Amino acid sequence: MSVYTSLDSVKDELLKCLKCGNCQAVCPIYKEMRHEVAVARGKIVLVETLLNGEIEMTDRLADKLSLCTTCMACNQICPNGIRFDKVILAARAEGVRKKGLHPIKKIAFKALKLQRLFDLGMKTGSKFQGLAMKRVKGQDYGARMRIDLGIGKEKVFPNLASKPFRSQFPSEVKVPNPKMKVAFFSGCMINYFYPDMGKSVVDVLTENDIEIAIPADQACCGIPASVNGDVDSAKEQAKRNLRAFEESGADALLIACSSCGSAWKHSFSELMEGDAYYKELADKWAAKTYDINEFLVNVVPFKRDGLGEVKRTVTYHDPCHLNRGQNINKEPREILKAIPGVQFIEMKEPGRCCGMAGSFSLVHPELSGKISDKKIADIATTSTNTVATACPACRLQLASGVINAGMNKDVLHTVQILAESYAKGKQ
Amino acid sequence: MFSKEVINELVTVVGKENVISELEDLVTYSFDATAAMPRVKPDVVVTPLNTEHVVKIVEVAKKYEIPIYPRGSGTNLSGGTIPLEKGIVVSMVHMNKILEVDLDNLCAWVEPGVIIQDLNNEAMKHGLIYPPDPGTVATATMGGSVSECSGGLRGLKYGVTKHYIMGMELVLANGDVIKWGGKTVKNVTGYDLTALFTGAEGTLGIITRLLVKLIPAPEARKSLLAVFDDLDKAGNAISSIVRNKIIPATLEIMDKVTINTVENFTKAGLPIHAEAVLLIEVDGYKESVAREAPLVEKICQECGAIDIKVAETDEERDLIWFARRNALPSLGQVKPSTVLEDATVPRSKIPEIIKAIRRIADKYQLFIATYGHAGDGNLHPTIVIDPTDKDEIERMEHAVAEIFEAALGLGGTISGEHGIGIGKIKYLPLEFGEAGVDTLRRIKEALDPNYMLNPGKVVDRGE
Ligand SMILES: Cc1cc2nc3c(=O)[nH]c(=O)nc-3n(C[C@H](O)[C@H](O)[C@H](O)COP(=O)(O)OP(=O)(O)OC[C@H]3O[C@@H](n4cnc5c(N)ncnc54)[C@H](O)[C@@H]3O)c2cc1C
Ligand code: SF4
Ligand code: SF4
């Protein structure tokens, strides 16, 4: 019994809730709405009430359950250590089981619309950008939605890659004397929006004499589907990924996206429960999966000679699913602090959610924007010229926020700054 | 009784965005932080933005004779915000502005929905603090904590909420707005309404503004932990410290059951053979801390402490308080539900009440850990239960009643800081006597004859 197959699987978690309200202190959504339904204990009571039959799974209930960025801040502060992330996943999956995809049609529909738009964009190239989106004045960064899809017109999307990451690189990147062979899971956002991040991963790894497989057959990590309760799609995607990477023959799997990392480390095994073959594969790969920061600090320590000076003042935003989800927060800072010329300045509450949370920001654009505003204000007080993070989704949200606030800052993945330093070292 | 008409009228007075009436939302206002309470959904929740809104809500409630329940963050431990008789929950959390911090008169005007910690963060910018610090500083509202007269860790030296209230604005059950107090240290005009409304648990009026006192932040602090193999020796140390004219900011105790439970779950290296540990912090000017900390250490030694640790660094201080912070979380791991009581006795009676609680735990075969604010005599005997075990719940109720009797027998009170709410209403005559309860009832009826404000809390309607 996993959270994906039965709501009963979280009964013990529910029982642990003291209703103390401590979760109010950290919940980004509660901070904006100040309604009990927004915070963990409110949703816990909703699920309890659903389980004892007093309320039913309705569209409205599914709507309330969509009020969570799955940032895991409540997990961390909860005196009883409740795994609220499991509760919300189980509740959303129950919604889909009870009502088909219907209860989340709003989310699915919007995500789909966007997906189609991007696919179209990929085909029609730059023409698309002019058609659907309005370029942000004076910036070559990206564009805002020209037509209101109900996902908010404020968010600035980066320009679509003229060529996706995985089309830019061969499926094997060789180096002269390889130390080891790793496989790189790019994830959708790096592939479509941020090939520059993917390229930096390749550059840094080759610089460290590591051979890279980039399986062409990789799919989406499935997190967008599973957090919205669409367990079937998530399972399909997990299986396809497991097959693709099993064929790569790599010693380790590297990831530069916090959600994709959580998927490989945690979700796949849970999703594959009951399927002996795939479960074994999932467990095996989970043990070999590393976030790129984690890998470069703890597994194969990155080369420190050859680092050139990078003149940047940098602050770092902790992606929720890397920090609380995978307990990785020291490693990115260690990388940044090792780069000559980088002056590191910590922002207030670097671990507070940026409000992106994938489809959450599409379904609740206003809330997402307000959560982002707080983050951007904290970033502003650091007076740095660069915001580092370790997730493409956070990067999108932060970059959009920075632009909307009229600030001039680079928003980059830690590994991009490291790649920049190696490049400077060669000059 | 409750109609669409009422909702429409509420929408007219506070706006659609401030009226919550969907079933799925109402469910989330059927409870607060109190264990083992009935859950009751309100008919509607409104979130006023200003005093005028509150007045209008009260007028609608009056017109339709519907009960009103003021609510802050819903973290109280006495069932104080549960809408027992259904009706309107008035959630005050959107009135959350800090209106003024006055550095000359050392005070601040705040709206009731301000979170205590947010006021403190603002005050700290000016080197000031608002001392009342319940375990929920980061979540509880000013309105809620004033209505419960919350205490906290620093009560011994700095007092409790009522010592920091200088004035209020409040909406009465008849819709009148009254205001009193001010920025003067002295004020004896009329009856002391501040004393009446601080701790009134939302049964006499709805607070819409508060004037609170701020004090200079202490310059230095020092923590120490003293281990005792005998409860009486620990008790003697508590009294001796105070008898020697040292008033620590914090003087906490954890009994054997608590220590063992925390150690079991945190492996922090606590002295599991101890009968009690005291956690003490002195604060103030650097010079006075430098004088008092060694004195406290000496007194603990003289009273027979078997081990004493003095925190020399911030990390060591955190380590000392780690155990206390983990008391409730660790107890929560034993069984899912924790009933947190707050029976309070004169500080000299601490050993006796802890022993009485142990006898009661044995008698009813319950797991009861006792820890709390020893310096204030305010203990938190915490009973952990399985909420699905009916028999255990029944034994728990008997035990709670006997703990109250024991506290009263020692010259104490049934509630030091959590309030009466629904939970302790039936024990009120034990402490007040029938005539006393009747006096409370007459005060209630003078201000709210129809029991419209938070009915079923503190005093019931009587026969
Ligand atoms: C883990 C934990 C630790 C705690 N530690 C302590 C502690 O150390 N010391 C302590 O004293 N308490 C403690 N408490 C109890 C609780 O936190 C306090 O009582 C708190 O001050 C309540 O604030 P609130 O905003 O949550 O009020 P609520 O629970 O929302 O309301 C409390 C009461 O105030 C009334 N009320 C709220 N706002 C208004 C208003 N504007 N006008 C009129 N009436 C109003 C309500 O009707 C209710 O009767 C603890 C609770 C928990 C869960
Ligand atoms: S912090 Fe944990 S125990 Fe407390 S109300 Fe939130 S989920 Fe429940
Ligand atoms: S996971 Fe984050 S957004 Fe969701 S309830 Fe917890 S704190 Fe709130």
Side-chain angles (χ1 to χ4, degrees), chain A residues 188-214:
Chain A
C188 301
M189 290 200 64
I190 291 180
N191 195 41
Y192 289 123
F193 282 133
Y194 293 128
D196 55 343
M197 278 174 58
K199 180 174 182 304
S200 294
V201 169
V202 172
D203 289 349
V204 166
L205 290 174
T206 49
E207 188 64 35
N208 282 278
D209 306 314
I210 293 166
E211 192 173 307
I212 311 152
I214 309 172

Side-chain angles (χ1 to χ4, degrees), chain A residues 18-22 24 41 79, chain B residues 32-34 68-82 90 92-93 111-116 133-137 139-153 161 170 197 200-210 324 328 340 342 373 378 380 416-419 421 454 457-458:
Chain A
L18 303 169
K19 314 294 180 298
C20 68
N22 280 9
Q24 289 176 354
R41 74 170 179 179
Chain B
D32 54 31
T34 322
I68 289 192
Y69 310 86
R71 180 180 173 107
S73 296
T75 69
N76 75 86
L77 294 169
S78 50
T81 42
I82 296 173
V90 185
M92 304 300 290
V93 290
E111 290 187 329
V114 168
I115 306 298
I116 306 172
D133 61 342
T136 43
V137 265
T139 52
T141 63
M142 291 298 295
S145 58
V146 169
S147 299
E148 296 289 1
C149 187
S150 295
L153 287 177
T161 301
L170 183 124
F197 285 95
E201 301 187 30
T203 61
L204 302 180
I206 304 176
I207 300 167
T208 47
R209 254 173 211 225
L210 286 160
R324 173 65 177 87
L328 189 58
L340 194 68
D342 65 328
H373 321 301
N378 177 196
H380 292 310
E417 58 179 13
H418 296 164
N454 212 1
K457 319 294 162 64
V458 189

Side-chain angles (χ1 to χ4, degrees), chain B residues 32-47:
Chain B
D32 54 31
T34 322
M37 280 286 139
R39 280 197 191 159
V40 185
K41 288 191 297 288
D43 293 301
V44 65
V45 178
V46 282
T47 55

